[in-house]
Amino acid sequence: MILRHVTVDSSEPYELARFWSEVTGWPLGEGDEPGDDEVLVDAPAPVPGLLFIRVPEAKTVKNRLHIDWQPDERTRDEEVDRLTALGAKLFEDHRTPDGLGWVTMQDLEGNEFCVERSTLERGV
């Protein structure tokens, strides 16, 4: 079995997909445009794409599933600053004085995701 997409319910799929396209650097699906009910952020193989689908109800509680991101070109803190500039919000700060920990953020529609320390920060 192959994981093809991670699907996210959304009130505005195109706008949310555009945000995640900027976050990841991955392109929007071919032909996707404003007003579409389904919009894909097309990840490089073998990574699953992010598919945003319009739903009528708003998000009301914490996600049952979220994505953990590990920066590869920036430190965790630089990435948090970049994502904040793109419109993400800091939700919970789990950084510790010794430099460990992670940051839980929310995208434009309040979906939680985490930013962990980068590979360089982990010494890997």
Side-chain angles (χ1 to χ4, degrees), residues 6 16-29 40-44 47-52 67-74 79 82-83 86 113:
V6 173
L16 194 54
R18 213 174 76 215
F19 166 81
W20 281 106
S21 176
E22 290 182 53
V23 167
T24 61
W26 305 337
L28 293 178
L40 177 66
V41 177
D42 200 7
V47 177
L50 300 173
L51 180 62
F52 298 89
I67 298 172
D68 293 341
W69 295 97
Q70 182 178 356
D72 57 355
E73 297 178 2
R74 287 171 277 284
E79 188 66 14
R82 184 181 82 86
L83 297 171
L86 290 175
F113 63 96

Side-chain angles (χ1 to χ4, degrees), residues 47-60:
V47 177
L50 300 173
L51 180 62
F52 298 89
I53 296 180
R54 186 180 313 278
V55 297
E57 60 277 354
K59 180 182 178 299
T60 58

Side-chain angles (χ1 to χ4, degrees), residues 20 66-71 76 80 83 92 94 102-106 111-116:
W20 281 106
H66 72 263
I67 298 172
D68 293 341
W69 295 97
Q70 182 178 356
R76 175 201 54 215
V80 167
L83 297 171
E92 295 176 342
H94 299 279
W102 68 94
V103 177
T104 304
M105 303 189 78
Q106 293 177 321
N111 299 300
E112 297 91 4
F113 63 96
C114 291
V115 180
E116 299 178 347

